[in-house]
Amino acid sequence: AIEGELRATDVPCRYGGDEFAVVLPETDGAEARRVAQRVLDTVKSLPIRPPRGSEPVMLSLSIGVATYSEDGETAGDLIASADSRLYRAKQSGRSQVAAETERPESLAR
């Protein structure tokens, strides 16, 4: 579902147990947010059918977006920014994209 919303040059990968990261080369923040929203909409529309005829389960997805160099210049800074926003999206009700331009406190310069 994620790959279906990406370009051939984009790199999706599993980052942790239930976390994924997508690298979008040559993509500004506005376009990254649009891609994130498309991925969110696609995943939310996928009904997962449990075995034995149970009701479909709808997935939710929380996404944190970070952009080089606005949100960091190293991989660690970008991951920290995206991770901070991911948790903000979860705390704000889940199933949304968080892509604020402010940096987490730990990255303020």
Side-chain angles (χ1 to χ4, degrees):
I2 293 170
E3 285 180 326
E5 298 302 329
L6 304 178
R7 304 167 299 187
T9 57
D10 298 336
V11 182
C13 55
R14 186 172 182 180
Y15 187 73
D18 63 349
E19 294 182 344
F20 294 83
V22 178
V23 178
L24 305 169
E26 304 295 325
T27 304
D28 65 16
E31 182 60 20
R33 287 187 294 277
R34 283 190 288 276
V35 171
Q37 189 63 53
R38 282 197 321 262
V39 168
L40 173 64
D41 293 343
T42 296
V43 169
K44 284 173 56 175
S45 72
L46 296 172
I48 305 300
R49 298 206 179 274
R52 300 187 184 100
S54 299
E55 291 295 314
V57 175
M58 303 311 288
L59 299 176
S60 70
L61 184 66
S62 299
I63 300 175
V65 174
T67 306
Y68 177 88
S69 65
E70 293 85 357
D71 300 311
E73 295 187 3
T74 68
D77 285 351
L78 290 168
I79 290 169
S81 290
D83 196 51
S84 173
R85 292 169 184 164
L86 163 68
Y87 285 101
R88 192 172 317 135
K90 287 181 178 183
Q91 292 170 348
S92 297
R94 299 184 182 266
S95 217
Q96 58 187 286
V97 175
E100 297 85 354
T101 56
E102 65 191 35
R103 292 184 185 186
E105 291 284 328
S106 63
L107 297 179
R109 298 183 206 270

